[in-house]
């Protein structure tokens, strides 16, 4: 099984799925790639830098353009593990805010 899969939902939205091994099990994590008139937007990184680098190569091969911005939805390893590869590629990375409920 490949550790990376890019699946088309429609002309503007693709799902990227990456896999890692945890306790002998192959565990998937999904994110999105949005192909808008303003550019490509990546929603969530991958499990690690190597998978993110592979994802960026696959995006370049299929779309012939770079990711304009990455948006991270939450802080879990399957979402943030590949951030350094995005930063190394000079892709701006933003994250959703996190607020604690205060009494």
């Amino acid at each position: 099984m490949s550790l990376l899969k890019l699946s088309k939902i429609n002309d503007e939205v693709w799902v990227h799925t990456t896999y890692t091994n945890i306790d002998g099990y192959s565990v998937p994590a999904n994110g999105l790639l949005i192909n808008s008139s303003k550019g490509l937007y990546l929603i969530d990184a991958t499990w690690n830098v190597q998978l993110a680098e592979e994802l960026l190569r696959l995006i370049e091969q299929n779309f012939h353009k770079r990711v304009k911005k990455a948006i991270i939805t939450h802080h879990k390893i399957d979402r943030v593990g590949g951030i350094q590869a995005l930063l190394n590629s000079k892709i701006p990375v933003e994250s959703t805010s996190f607020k604690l409920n205060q009494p």
Side-chain angles (χ1 to χ4, degrees), residues 38-53:
K38 295 185 180 193
L40 289 174
Y41 293 87
L42 183 67
I43 310 300
D44 291 323
T46 60
W47 289 100
N48 58 49
V49 170
Q50 294 79 15
L51 286 170
E53 289 170 347

Side-chain angles (χ1 to χ4, degrees), residues 15-19 28-32 43-45 47 78-79:
V15 174
H16 65 83
T17 305
T18 55
Y19 298 86
N30 296 317
L32 295 172
I43 310 300
D44 291 323
W47 289 100
D78 60 334
R79 304 294 183 232

Side-chain angles (χ1 to χ4, degrees), residues 58-98:
L58 188 62
I59 290 168
E60 180 73 29
Q61 290 170 0
N62 284 282
F63 296 92
H64 307 289
K65 52 186 173 179
R66 293 177 36 84
V67 172
K68 183 173 183 171
K69 183 183 285 188
I71 300 166
I72 307 302
T73 59
H74 62 279
H75 186 263
K76 297 277 184 166
I77 193 63
D78 60 334
R79 304 294 183 232
V80 301
I83 285 178
Q84 190 60 54
L86 304 177
L87 295 173
N88 292 346
S89 294
K90 308 289 190 244
I91 297 170
V93 177
E94 292 187 17
S95 179
T96 56
S97 63
F98 175 76

